[in-house]
Amino acid sequence: MATRNIIDLSQPITPASPAPCDPPVEFRTVASHGPDSLYQMMWFGMTDHTGTHIDAPLHFVPGGKPIDEADLSALYSMPGVFLDFTAVSCFHKIDAGDVERELKQYGSIPEDAFIMLHTGTGWYSNTREYFNSPFITPAAAERIIRLRPVAVGVNGPTVDDRRGEGRPIHRAFLSHGVHIIEGIVRSELLAGKRFHCTALPLKLARFTGSPIRFVAVLEEPAGSGTLPPLRMPIHGILNKKALMTEGIPTGGSMKPDSPFRKAINAIEVWVSVFAMLLLILVVSIQVFCRYVLQDSLAWTEELARYLVIWSVLFGCSFAMRTDSHLELSILSNFSGPRMKKYVKCFSCIVCLAFSIIMVYAGMESVINIHWSEQLTPAMQLPAWIIWMAMPAGFGLMGIQAILRCVDEIAKNI
């Protein structure tokens, strides 16, 4: 190897880390530097499948090997194979044909390799969309098993479609001695590179898995060469049905959202997506009429402006739910795990207060415009309909702020 350029592909483990089941990750300070203590010591508690972790056969195979019996020589410096399945939808399906298409870029696959199934879900770690991850079909798993790899890796928390039952992909891989590494981040840095990976688990006696510090060693300097364009997944927007019905809170147990949350999520997504699609259509009509027919339509520009208003204001609610608003993170970065809970709750309360003010101001404007019977200039629509976007959008944002605050409190109890 020409150089040793190490890339850390592991998630940091914090009390906010996604947990597959209760209890969530917990940190405690056992001893701190001070007059009564010469040392500092921490305690932590979590499941053996937290963060970036490796599954042992015992996880789904009765009588299978536990993680402390894993072959370390096989998991050290595994030749890497990068297959790009960057997802454009929630629960994107990776089938055998997709695997075959990606394998064509390789002349041959070495046995005992590590196969990275890159989907980009690592972008969404610590958000709801992380649990709406792409999955592997049985046919794709069978094709991969024939390659005789040591391990396969994914960005999401599971290789299976978690909406179903039985976890057949876990059983298929583990029963053939193929380790599964889940929760990998930053794997896009491996695209177009030759690399080896190392995944050494903790020696946890009779455990079914272990968190790992998962690293890749490039055979050429990091950043050299030409990487293919990075495709950031947008499955949180495009696959509306899965996003509306399958949202899962991070931390704690993976329980489905309540009907109320599903309804709120459905409203914000459908309105935003419908407004954006209609906006694209209206602008296309305007461009065609102006530059082809040389005759502009007055109503298209006005309608496009109103559609932008509705999509942006309802998008604010979506951003509140997915924690995508711009923020000053300096206070959070310098806070301890316990303090971060209060910082996040405080930010939610501030957003809620702002939303209440905007709802009140918006409703006042709607009422005044309604009584004045004001119409829009070009389309002659009641103007209060356009102004309803303000109380409706900020009302949903306020509800999402309350739900996030409740989630944060419940996650840290």
Side-chain angles (χ1 to χ4, degrees):
M1 298 174 65
T3 58
R4 299 186 65 81
N5 298 279
I6 296 178
I7 298 178
D8 186 358
L9 305 174
S10 315
Q11 295 183 27
I13 296 179
T14 72
S17 295
C21 60
D22 286 328
V25 179
E26 183 179 354
F27 286 1
R28 296 179 193 166
T29 302
V30 177
S32 298
H33 295 298
D36 300 326
S37 177
L38 299 177
Y39 61 92
Q40 182 161 320
M41 184 180 296
M42 302 292 292
W43 176 96
F44 64 90
M46 60 185 181
T47 72
D48 54 353
H49 296 271
T50 298
T52 306
H53 65 275
I54 186 170
D55 293 353
L58 183 60
H59 187 33
F60 274 91
V61 180
K65 283 188 177 182
I67 198 62
D68 57 309
E69 296 181 15
D71 183 358
L72 300 185
S73 63
L75 294 171
Y76 175 78
S77 195
M78 299 174 284
V81 176
F82 182 90
L83 305 182
D84 189 2
F85 304 108
T86 303
V88 295
S89 63
C90 294
F91 301 110
H92 178 71
K93 180 173 65 175
I94 300 173
D95 209 344
D98 303 318
V99 174
E100 204 65 56
R101 183 172 58 253
E102 283 295 311
L103 288 175
K104 288 181 179 178
Q105 65 183 297
Y106 294 92
S108 62
I109 304 297
E111 289 190 5
D112 301 329
F114 165 73
I115 299 180
M116 179 67 222
L117 307 178
H118 174 76
T119 62
T121 314
W123 286 95
Y124 297 103
S125 59
N126 291 337
T127 72
R128 294 180 188 278
E129 281 63 47
Y130 180 68
F131 292 100
N132 298 341
S133 59
F135 62 92
I136 304 168
T137 65
E142 181 181 348
R143 179 66 184 93
I144 294 170
I145 290 170
R146 292 207 305 268
L147 300 174
R148 302 176 64 85
V150 171
V152 296
V154 293
N155 299 120
T158 180
V159 292
D160 276 288
D161 182 357
R162 64 161 194 78
R163 298 169 298 179
E165 298 180 356
R167 301 298 185 262
I169 309 305
H170 273 88
R171 292 202 309 271
F173 281 135
L174 296 177
S175 64
H176 285 83
V178 179
H179 288 283
I180 303 170
I181 302 175
E182 296 163 327
I184 298 171
V185 295
R186 303 176 70 216
S187 56
E188 63 273 4
L189 299 178
L190 305 177
K193 302 293 184 180
R194 294 171 59 87
F195 61 95
H196 286 69
C197 287
T198 295
L200 301 182
L202 300 175
K203 198 168 186 178
L204 301 169
R206 302 302 302 171
F207 270 56
T208 65
S210 170
I212 56 174
R213 192 68 176 265
F214 187 54
V215 298
V217 179
L218 301 183
E219 296 186 16
E220 54 191 49
S224 69
T226 303
L227 287 174
L230 179 59
R231 295 179 287 161
M232 181 175 178
I234 52 174
H235 59 65
I237 297 175
L238 293 184
N239 195 323
K240 302 177 289 300
K241 181 177 180 181
L243 181 61
M244 290 184 290
T245 60
E246 299 296 337
I248 293 294
T250 58
S253 60
M254 299 166 73
K255 299 177 182 177
D257 284 346
S258 67
F260 174 75
R261 290 196 186 214
K262 290 181 181 180
I264 296 297
N265 297 348
I267 292 172
E268 69 185 23
V269 172
W270 277 110
V271 171
S272 299
V273 172
F274 177 78
M276 288 301 298
L277 292 176
L278 189 56
L279 174 63
I280 294 171
L281 177 61
V282 169
V283 171
S284 299
I285 293 174
Q286 172 72 327
V287 171
F288 178 81
C289 292
R290 176 173 294 182
Y291 294 100
V292 178
L293 302 182
Q294 301 294 315
D295 185 16
S296 299
L297 299 175
W299 61 269
T300 54
E301 183 176 348
E302 181 177 276
L303 179 57
R305 186 164 58 249
Y306 298 152
L307 289 172
V308 168
I309 294 172
W310 275 82
S311 62
V312 167
L313 291 179
F314 275 75
C316 288
S317 176
F318 178 86
M320 187 72 218
R321 172 162 62 93
T322 58
D323 196 20
S324 302
H325 281 294
L326 293 175
E327 62 178 344
L328 292 174
S329 58
I330 184 170
L331 183 59
S332 177
N333 289 343
F334 283 95
S335 301
R338 186 179 298 273
M339 188 61 188
K340 282 185 179 180
K341 174 183 69 174
Y342 299 107
V343 172
K344 289 185 178 181
C345 289
F346 176 76
S347 67
C348 290
I349 292 172
V350 171
C351 290
L352 174 60
F354 177 75
S355 299
I356 292 173
I357 293 172
M358 298 305 291
V359 169
Y360 178 80
M363 284 306 301
E364 271 197 331
S365 299
V366 169
I367 293 172
N368 292 335
I369 294 172
H370 175 72
W371 285 109
S372 67
E373 299 183 350
Q374 180 180 340
L375 301 177
T376 60
M379 302 179 65
Q380 294 296 293
L381 293 173
W384 67 268
I385 296 177
I386 311 303
W387 281 81
M388 271 300 298
M390 187 172 172
F394 281 106
L396 285 176
M397 180 175 163
I399 293 173
Q400 294 290 6
I402 294 173
L403 295 176
R404 278 202 61 207
C405 190
V406 170
D407 286 346
E408 196 62 35
I409 294 172
K411 182 171 63 179
N412 289 275
I413 292 177

